[in-house]
Amino acid sequence: MSDRFYDVVLYGASGFVGKQTVQYFARHASPGQVRWAIAGRNHQKLAAVRDETGAAVDILVADSQDQSAIDQIVAQTRVLLTTAGPFALYATPLVDACVRYKTHYVDITGEIPWVKTLIDRYHAQAAADGTRIIPCCGFDSVPSDLGTYLVVRQMQQVWGVPCQQVNAYFQANGGLNGGTLASAFNLYDSQGTAQMNQPFLLNPPRSHPRAHLDSLASDNSKAERNRDPQAPSFDPDLNTWVAPFFMGPVNTRIVRRSSALYDEWQESYGADFTYQEYLKFDQPLAWLKATSITAGLALFAGALLQPQLRSLLQPFLPQPGSGPSEQTMNHGWFSCELLGKAADGRQMQGLIRDQGDPGNRATVKFVCESALGLALQNDQLPGGQTRGGILTPATGLGNVLAERLRQAGMTLEVTETSP
């Protein structure tokens, strides 16, 4: 791909999150180091974004449903970054072109059933060609996936033992943008939520526990240990109450795919590795907070399934192209604490934390640094230049992304802790 005219093209650049990726690249992508352009379906809107950010970059125009126009853009770049969702509606032609033209790809989707379709259609070809197609490079699912990877590898390097379990505990404050809600609505409308109940949805077929375990009882046991939590609970490791994390059904599937792929590559996390994640609540009244949040989210999810209730709610929710104020995004924050346990009881603790709204500021940092890592550090990526497929942040970017995020001001730490 050394003859490509651009290193990175930002598709969907006139959307709410897309504008923020343009701002990020304008501040952090050195003109002499990175050749980049912005793209989308409306030249006038793209020009307005370019003028607003002061970015002296080319504008490329293509509707996501115009495969020929998309092909022309993809053929010119080494990496395509897209923020245009719902991804199940608009991103498949982009991925299709990236696989055919051997162009690396990143996005910010959390639409796991759609990722499953990408695996079924494109993984084998992308793997054969060394093309890295990496969905879920936003707040879905970098903290979960990269954090788990760092904790597991530190445990293996320092103690020389496999990891048995990682739990992640989230706290966050921020706003919600209309694009995220549009993706959620499309997921419910497409009946994709039924697939979300499968804890190993994204695992390669031969790495599903049914293919490895000797008995149905063992298979059911592993599935049960990876089942999504449904109710608040007291966590003795943290000495406080936790609740199901609403992004857990997305993030856990990505982490389990990472573990399964590393099993295939003989770089296993652990023979019986399990992963779960939760919302963490501080005292006082942690039980009440956990119970209230769980009940509120269940009611909201139920409302999404009822067309009449949803139609009443939608006018009060952020619309596509809109989102939180600058003040809300700047004052937001997130914290992801990870606790890894070895079979002998020793524990390794991880922390990923940053200032800024997780669904916007952090997501933009995650996906932009992912694209820059693919463009600028291809020879340092995990697995070498030949690794490809429908990958995850941990399997496709690994330590390259971790170090880039640290350099961008994000906290990523792993420390030994007492059991």
Side-chain angles (χ1 to χ4, degrees):
M1 292 188 290
S2 59
D3 59 341
R4 303 289 173 93
F5 192 79
Y6 302 109
D7 295 310
V8 183
V9 169
L10 311 180
Y11 189 84
S14 62
F16 186 79
V17 178
K19 291 178 185 177
Q20 297 178 64
T21 65
V22 179
Q23 292 169 345
Y24 194 93
F25 263 68
R27 294 170 186 158
H28 299 280
S30 169
Q33 186 183 31
V34 183
R35 299 165 298 172
W36 60 286
I38 61 176
R41 62 182 181 179
N42 188 306
H43 188 281
Q44 185 176 356
K45 291 182 178 180
L46 292 167
V49 171
R50 182 177 65 177
D51 294 342
E52 182 181 336
T53 59
V57 294
D58 294 340
I59 293 175
L60 309 176
V61 178
D63 188 286
S64 64
Q65 304 307 308
D66 184 343
Q67 191 68 67
S68 177
I70 290 296
D71 286 0
Q72 291 181 36
I73 289 176
V74 169
Q76 297 182 69
T77 185
R78 298 171 60 225
V79 179
L80 183 81
L81 182 164
T82 178
T83 53
F87 293 84
L89 297 180
Y90 302 124
T92 302
L94 299 173
V95 174
D96 188 271
C98 285
V99 172
R100 285 185 286 109
Y101 286 95
K102 304 178 185 178
T103 296
H104 300 316
Y105 168 98
V106 293
D107 69 28
I108 57 171
T109 190
E111 300 162 48
I112 292 300
W114 175 68
V115 175
K116 170 63 173 172
T117 68
L118 298 186
I119 295 168
D120 293 342
R121 292 181 191 177
Y122 301 115
H123 177 73
Q125 188 62 55
D129 294 336
T131 306
R132 295 178 193 242
I133 307 296
I134 316 179
C136 303
C137 285
F139 192 56
D140 293 325
S141 300
V142 172
S144 307
D145 194 40
L146 191 61
T148 297
Y149 168 83
L150 294 173
V151 166
V152 170
R153 293 301 185 228
Q154 183 79 351
M155 184 182 294
Q156 293 172 337
Q157 292 167 12
V158 174
W159 297 332
V161 297
C163 186
Q164 186 176 62
Q165 176 185 6
V166 171
N167 285 342
Y169 305 92
F170 281 87
Q171 293 178 296
N173 182 44
L176 191 64
N177 65 61
T180 298
L181 279 173
S183 293
F185 292 151
N186 184 69
L187 182 63
Y188 279 89
D189 291 340
S190 65
Q191 308 300 311
T193 50
Q195 288 181 284
M196 298 291 286
N197 293 324
Q198 303 175 36
F200 304 103
L201 178 65
L202 303 185
N203 286 32
R206 59 183 173 275
S207 69
H208 189 284
R210 192 176 301 278
H212 278 309
L213 300 177
D214 295 330
S215 69
L216 183 61
S218 296
D219 179 33
N220 290 339
S221 173
K222 181 155 188 177
E224 191 59 36
R225 282 183 284 117
N226 285 279
R227 192 81 56 201
D228 297 323
Q230 299 297 317
S233 61
F234 182 81
D235 192 305
D237 291 315
L238 273 64
N239 196 34
T240 193
W241 282 80
V242 299
F245 186 32
F246 61 91
M247 286 164 47
V250 176
N251 298 333
T252 55
R253 277 62 170 171
I254 292 294
V255 173
R256 290 172 198 145
R257 178 166 178 78
S258 294
S259 175
L261 288 173
Y262 275 123
D263 279 346
E264 287 192 341
W265 301 328
Q266 286 75 54
E267 302 172 32
S268 176
Y269 283 3
D272 199 26
F273 174 80
T274 61
Y275 174 80
Q276 283 291 5
E277 62 184 38
Y278 307 88
L279 272 175
K280 174 188 170 185
F281 296 90
D282 294 329
Q283 300 288 1
L285 302 178
W287 172 84
L288 181 60
K289 297 172 188 174
T291 303
S292 300
I293 289 291
T294 303
L297 288 173
L299 288 172
F300 182 71
L304 293 184
L305 292 171
Q306 303 295 325
Q308 291 180 327
L309 285 176
R310 189 201 295 185
S311 64
L312 292 174
L313 282 174
Q314 274 188 295
F316 302 98
L317 299 173
Q319 302 303 306
S322 68
S325 67
E326 288 289 316
Q327 182 178 9
T328 297
M329 290 190 290
N330 290 336
H331 289 176
W333 57 272
F334 82 91
S335 172
C336 174
E337 301 173 54
L338 302 109
L339 187 64
K341 297 182 180 181
D344 60 10
R346 284 183 287 183
Q347 298 180 357
M348 194 71 74
Q349 188 170 344
L351 175 65
I352 300 183
R353 181 178 59 202
D354 204 14
Q355 183 69 29
D357 168 55
N360 295 280
R361 291 288 189 257
T363 284
V364 167
K365 185 180 291 188
F366 286 136
V367 74
C368 289
E369 293 298 341
S370 296
L372 290 168
L374 287 173
L376 300 176
Q377 296 172 266
N378 193 48
D379 57 338
Q380 300 172 39
L381 295 171
Q385 296 187 26
T386 59
R387 176 171 293 175
I390 310 301
L391 303 177
T392 61
T395 58
L397 295 159
N399 289 324
V400 167
L401 179 57
E403 189 53 38
R404 293 196 68 87
L405 292 172
R406 290 188 184 106
Q407 293 296 320
M410 190 174 293
T411 296
L412 291 91
E413 300 173 346
V414 180
T415 55
E416 183 178 345
T417 185
S418 301

